[in-house]
mmCIF file of all heavy atoms in Angstrom:
data_model
loop_
_atom_site.group_PDB
_atom_site.id
_atom_site.type_symbol
_atom_site.label_atom_id
_atom_site.label_comp_id
_atom_site.label_asym_id
_atom_site.label_seq_id
_atom_site.Cartn_x
_atom_site.Cartn_y
_atom_site.Cartn_z
ATOM 1 N N ALA K 259 109.503 99.849 29.501
ATOM 2 C CA ALA K 259 109.003 100.055 30.859
ATOM 3 C C ALA K 259 108.223 98.837 31.346
ATOM 4 O O ALA K 259 108.318 98.456 32.522
ATOM 5 C CB ALA K 259 108.124 101.301 30.908
ATOM 6 N N ASP K 260 107.449 98.201 30.466
ATOM 7 C CA ASP K 260 106.710 96.996 30.850
ATOM 8 C C ASP K 260 107.667 95.872 31.235
ATOM 9 O O ASP K 260 107.432 95.145 32.216
ATOM 10 C CB ASP K 260 105.805 96.541 29.699
ATOM 11 C CG ASP K 260 104.632 97.489 29.475
ATOM 12 O OD1 ASP K 260 104.297 98.246 30.408
ATOM 13 O OD2 ASP K 260 104.069 97.479 28.361
ATOM 14 N N ARG K 261 108.719 95.710 30.472
ATOM 15 C CA ARG K 261 109.708 94.673 30.804
ATOM 16 C C ARG K 261 110.379 94.962 32.145
ATOM 17 O O ARG K 261 110.640 94.048 32.927
ATOM 18 C CB ARG K 261 110.766 94.607 29.696
ATOM 19 C CG ARG K 261 110.251 94.053 28.376
ATOM 20 C CD ARG K 261 109.841 92.608 28.501
ATOM 21 N NE ARG K 261 109.280 92.088 27.256
ATOM 22 C CZ ARG K 261 108.745 90.895 27.120
ATOM 23 N NH1 ARG K 261 108.678 90.083 28.162
ATOM 24 N NH2 ARG K 261 108.251 90.508 25.971
ATOM 25 N N GLN K 262 110.638 96.235 32.403
ATOM 26 C CA GLN K 262 111.270 96.580 33.675
ATOM 27 C C GLN K 262 110.332 96.283 34.838
ATOM 28 O O GLN K 262 110.787 95.878 35.918
ATOM 29 C CB GLN K 262 111.669 98.049 33.672
ATOM 30 C CG GLN K 262 112.522 98.465 34.860
ATOM 31 C CD GLN K 262 113.819 97.693 34.945
ATOM 32 O OE1 GLN K 262 114.559 97.599 33.955
ATOM 33 N NE2 GLN K 262 114.121 97.138 36.116
ATOM 34 N N MET K 263 109.037 96.461 34.648
ATOM 35 C CA MET K 263 108.070 96.102 35.685
ATOM 36 C C MET K 263 108.140 94.614 35.989
ATOM 37 O O MET K 263 108.122 94.189 37.155
ATOM 38 C CB MET K 263 106.657 96.489 35.236
ATOM 39 C CG MET K 263 106.371 97.980 35.270
ATOM 40 S SD MET K 263 106.277 98.641 36.955
ATOM 41 C CE MET K 263 104.837 97.781 37.567
ATOM 42 N N ASN K 264 108.222 93.800 34.938
ATOM 43 C CA ASN K 264 108.333 92.355 35.138
ATOM 44 C C ASN K 264 109.612 91.993 35.884
ATOM 45 O O ASN K 264 109.613 91.122 36.770
ATOM 46 C CB ASN K 264 108.304 91.633 33.783
ATOM 47 C CG ASN K 264 106.979 91.804 33.063
ATOM 48 O OD1 ASN K 264 105.961 92.088 33.694
ATOM 49 N ND2 ASN K 264 106.978 91.624 31.754
ATOM 50 N N ILE K 265 110.701 92.661 35.548
ATOM 51 C CA ILE K 265 111.979 92.393 36.218
ATOM 52 C C ILE K 265 111.891 92.740 37.704
ATOM 53 O O ILE K 265 112.358 91.996 38.564
ATOM 54 C CB ILE K 265 113.121 93.173 35.531
ATOM 55 C CG1 ILE K 265 113.365 92.633 34.124
ATOM 56 C CG2 ILE K 265 114.401 93.107 36.355
ATOM 57 C CD1 ILE K 265 114.354 93.435 33.307
ATOM 58 N N ASN K 266 111.272 93.874 38.001
ATOM 59 C CA ASN K 266 111.146 94.272 39.409
ATOM 60 C C ASN K 266 110.256 93.315 40.191
ATOM 61 O O ASN K 266 110.507 93.037 41.371
ATOM 62 C CB ASN K 266 110.588 95.691 39.488
ATOM 63 C CG ASN K 266 111.607 96.736 39.100
ATOM 64 O OD1 ASN K 266 112.736 96.406 38.766
ATOM 65 N ND2 ASN K 266 111.229 97.993 39.115
ATOM 66 N N GLN K 267 109.211 92.788 39.591
ATOM 67 C CA GLN K 267 108.377 91.793 40.245
ATOM 68 C C GLN K 267 109.176 90.536 40.568
ATOM 69 O O GLN K 267 109.060 89.966 41.670
ATOM 70 C CB GLN K 267 107.181 91.436 39.361
ATOM 71 C CG GLN K 267 106.123 92.523 39.275
ATOM 72 C CD GLN K 267 104.984 92.136 38.351
ATOM 73 O OE1 GLN K 267 105.136 91.275 37.487
ATOM 74 N NE2 GLN K 267 103.834 92.777 38.530
ATOM 75 N N GLN K 339 109.127 102.186 39.863
ATOM 76 C CA GLN K 339 108.953 101.802 38.473
ATOM 77 C C GLN K 339 107.503 101.990 38.029
ATOM 78 O O GLN K 339 107.241 102.382 36.884
ATOM 79 C CB GLN K 339 109.373 100.340 38.269
ATOM 80 C CG GLN K 339 109.334 99.868 36.828
ATOM 81 C CD GLN K 339 110.248 100.686 35.927
ATOM 82 O OE1 GLN K 339 111.327 101.117 36.341
ATOM 83 N NE2 GLN K 339 109.803 100.923 34.693
ATOM 84 N N GLU K 340 106.547 101.748 38.936
ATOM 85 C CA GLU K 340 105.142 102.008 38.620
ATOM 86 C C GLU K 340 104.924 103.501 38.323
ATOM 87 O O GLU K 340 104.230 103.864 37.358
ATOM 88 C CB GLU K 340 104.248 101.573 39.776
ATOM 89 C CG GLU K 340 104.042 100.080 39.881
ATOM 90 C CD GLU K 340 103.067 99.722 40.984
ATOM 91 O OE1 GLU K 340 103.149 100.341 42.061
ATOM 92 O OE2 GLU K 340 102.234 98.813 40.781
#
Side-chain angles (χ1 to χ4, degrees):
D260 290 340
R261 291 295 177 186
Q262 189 60 51
M263 286 291 295
N264 295 338
I265 293 173
N266 286 0
Q267 288 178 338
Q339 185 60 36
E340 284 184 319

